Amino acid sequence: MSIDKIFHIMKKDSKAIFKNPAVVITIIAIIILPSLYALLNIDACWDPYGNTDNLDFAVVNNDQNATYNNASYNFGDKVIDKLEDNDDFAWDFVDEDDARDGVENGTYYAAIIIPENFSSNLLSINDQNPKQAQLTYLINEKTNPVASRMSNNAVNQIQSKINDEVIQTVNGVAFNQLSVMGQTTPQSSLSQLSYMNSSGVDNYFYSPTEVTKEKINPVDNYGSEVSPFYIVLSIWVGCVISVALIKARYLGESLYKPLELYFGRMGLFLVIGLLQSTVTIIGAFWLGIEVSDPGLFIGCVYLITIAFMVLIYSLLSLFGNGGKALAIIMLVLQISTTNGIYPVYVMNDFFQALNPYLPMTYAIGLLRNALLGVYWPTFFTGVYAMIVMIIATLLVTIIIKEKFDNVANKFEQALKDSGLF
């Protein structure tokens, strides 16, 4: 294997690009497309829960007034009043028929129906058999999988607000009743009761438990949270696009040994991959993705790019179109298996078993540390995985390239002769 011949191939490749305007345009497109894939997806889901005010949500109030201790209550009206001041969703106050039709035909993502006996059931505390008030929640789950989850969250918020309102009202009545009971009790009981009426105890009954939320490596937006997955995915897609459009085999291959061709053409693929990643990095900073350590982020993106391109280019060099197919199969498997969006432990056993053996598993973990907060043991695991992937791929290719090249050439020629490939 001659180093001079390897550099000669690289030199001829660079000249061939700039001689032909069509080639320059195609190369520019190959460089830009992967970054668009990542950045557009990240921007699209930047803050999905912050834009729920565009989701149409129907509300129906059939509630009738109910009397409690000579006072009239209508909790349905109170719910409507609160929702009119709430801009979490695009609330539409309609009758029941319109709500049901709207959810069925997709006009509304969901609907809440407040029944006629809503207030009377809420105020049944004095009855021998108190009744639990029911809300009807309509959701058409085929409309959109994410919207249905957002609507579920809205219903939980509404239920919580209703419960707060009811607890405040009923607790006030209950304390009044206890005060009346205290008029016929001994002095000690009376003391235990003006105590129960104190604000501290009232707060206890209103909210007996409290959760303090402590964030580790806080992230301000959902787009930044998913960016490691989409950036790594775009790097893999960029490598696949490159090997799909650019030949791994050299026109004058009879003049060169297989390994000279392999390393000579690799230079072109690596330069294109690094340019793709440079555009993605610039776009990530422009988009405002949270980056805890810019230097680590840039270095990790380039390392992942080199590892992926060496692997995918080597598959193409060794197996031709079969290598392209392998790269696409690996892409499909890695979208769901690499802990990018959904935790791998919610997947079935097959995907959980596959997870430790896929390149993107370690690349996403590595980039997640560089972007959102470094945990050094996981970070170095990712670095080592990328380096091992590069070295192992090169060694395997060097060992089998010359022996396998004739078989790969014959396979490629057979595909060309078919007139289909």
Side-chain angles (χ1 to χ4, degrees), residues 24-36 238 241-242 271-280:
V24 173
I25 293 170
T26 303
I27 294 294
I28 291 173
I30 292 172
I31 290 169
I32 293 175
L33 280 175
S35 65
L36 289 178
I241 291 174
S242 300
V271 169
I272 289 174
L274 292 172
L275 289 173
Q276 288 172 338
S277 296
T278 300
V279 175
T280 302

Side-chain angles (χ1 to χ4, degrees), residues 32 126 139 150 170 213 219 250 268 282 289 318 364 384:
I32 293 175
N126 269 349
I139 179 69
M150 291 179 173
V170 174
K213 192 174 185 180
V219 184
Y250 193 70
L268 174 62
I282 294 170
I289 293 171
L318 288 172
I364 291 170
Y384 298 149

Side-chain angles (χ1 to χ4, degrees), residues 304-323:
I304 292 167
T305 300
I306 293 170
F308 284 7
M309 187 61 85
V310 168
L311 174 62
I312 295 173
Y313 166 73
S314 298
L315 289 174
L316 175 66
S317 181
L318 288 172
F319 307 114
N321 283 323

Side-chain angles (χ1 to χ4, degrees), residues 8 11 14 61 122 140 150 154 177 188 196 209 231 255 273 345 349 371 384 401 403 416:
H8 184 258
K11 187 177 179 180
S14 62
N61 182 21
L122 283 174
N140 189 346
M150 291 179 173
Q177 288 181 328
S188 61
M196 292 186 71
T209 61
I231 291 174
L255 303 174
Y345 297 108
D349 292 342
L371 279 170
Y384 298 149
K401 174 68 176 173
K403 297 178 181 177
K416 287 181 182 178

Side-chain angles (χ1 to χ4, degrees), residues 56-121:
D56 291 317
F57 204 123
V59 181
V60 179
N61 182 21
N62 293 328
D63 192 24
Q64 301 295 318
N65 289 355
T67 301
Y68 190 92
N69 281 0
N70 297 321
S72 181
Y73 297 92
N74 190 307
F75 285 100
D77 288 344
K78 291 191 176 187
V79 172
I80 297 300
D81 290 342
K82 286 186 176 295
L83 292 181
E84 286 177 341
D85 297 329
N86 181 292
D87 58 2
D88 290 344
F89 287 83
W91 307 107
D92 199 357
F93 305 99
V94 298
D95 62 37
E96 186 168 343
D97 289 338
D98 288 343
R100 290 185 179 276
D101 289 342
V103 173
E104 177 68 25
N105 62 35
T107 301
Y108 303 116
Y109 284 100
I112 288 179
I113 300 174
I114 305 171
E116 293 181 359
N117 59 358
F118 186 64
S119 290
S120 60
N121 284 345

